[in-house]
């Protein structure tokens, strides 16, 4: 296992534990009772957030929008006396491997599905 994978797994595990502790604390403070259904619903919403961010990074990292971005820069900076702006493709800005986001989302989705079984 490479060092990169171990770092992302540690980061994902710490994120999961931190969010769960924060979520439990908020639920206890505001609701005074914790039901399995409410906790599962909240975990599902958190999973959706992480899935959307992961999907966004994977789409941007694939290079799909690089062509459109290049053409828009070409159209906007078409003046002859204006120097060409530096072109940094979106695929280089987005992270190469959005696995961190998908790992956290998968864990929260599994907890949400397990809560469905126990209700």
């Amino acid at each position: 296992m490479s060092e990169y994978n171990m770092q992302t797994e540690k980061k994902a595990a710490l994120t999961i534990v931190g969010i769960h502790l924060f979520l439990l604390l908020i639920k206890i403070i505001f609701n005074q009772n914790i039901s399995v259904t409410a906790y599962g619903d909240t975990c599902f919403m958190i999973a959706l957030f992480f899935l959307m961010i992961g999907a966004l990074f994977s789409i941007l990292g694939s290079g799909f929008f690089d062509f459109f971005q290049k053409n828009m820069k070409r159209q906007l900076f078409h003046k002859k006396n204006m120097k060409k702006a530096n072109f940094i493709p979106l695929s280089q800005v987005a992270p190469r491997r959005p696995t961190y986001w998908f790992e956290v989302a998968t864990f929260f989705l599994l907890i949400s599905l397990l809560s469905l079984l126990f209700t």
Side-chain angles (χ1 to χ4, degrees):
M1 188 177 282
S2 70
E3 187 175 324
Y4 176 76
N5 287 339
M6 290 180 68
Q7 287 177 349
T8 56
E9 286 178 4
K10 286 180 184 177
K11 194 177 186 183
L14 287 174
T15 303
I16 290 168
V17 169
I19 289 175
H20 274 291
L21 290 176
F22 181 71
L23 184 64
L24 283 173
L25 182 68
I26 294 297
K27 287 267 185 205
I28 289 171
I29 289 172
F30 290 114
N31 292 345
Q32 300 295 329
N33 59 355
I34 300 174
S35 67
V36 176
T37 307
Y39 191 70
D41 292 343
T42 307
C43 285
F44 182 74
M45 295 304 285
I46 292 171
L48 283 180
F49 170 74
F50 280 100
L51 274 174
M52 287 189 303
I53 299 295
L56 175 72
F57 283 154
S58 65
I59 290 170
L60 290 178
S62 70
F64 180 74
F65 289 108
D66 289 347
F67 174 74
F68 301 111
Q69 180 188 14
K70 184 178 179 182
N71 285 333
M72 286 301 291
K73 293 260 186 187
R74 189 180 301 156
Q75 289 298 322
L76 291 176
F77 299 112
H78 190 65
K79 296 178 183 176
K80 293 181 181 177
N81 8 350
M82 184 179 267
K83 294 182 180 179
K84 286 189 176 182
N86 291 338
F87 174 70
I88 300 173
L90 287 173
S91 59
Q92 291 179 359
V93 175
R96 295 258 184 238
R97 298 179 185 172
T99 56
Y100 163 74
W101 299 96
F102 290 130
E103 287 173 357
V104 175
T106 303
F107 188 78
F108 279 107
L109 196 59
L110 287 175
I111 288 177
S112 176
L113 291 174
L114 284 175
S115 72
L116 252 176
L117 293 175
F118 292 121
T119 57

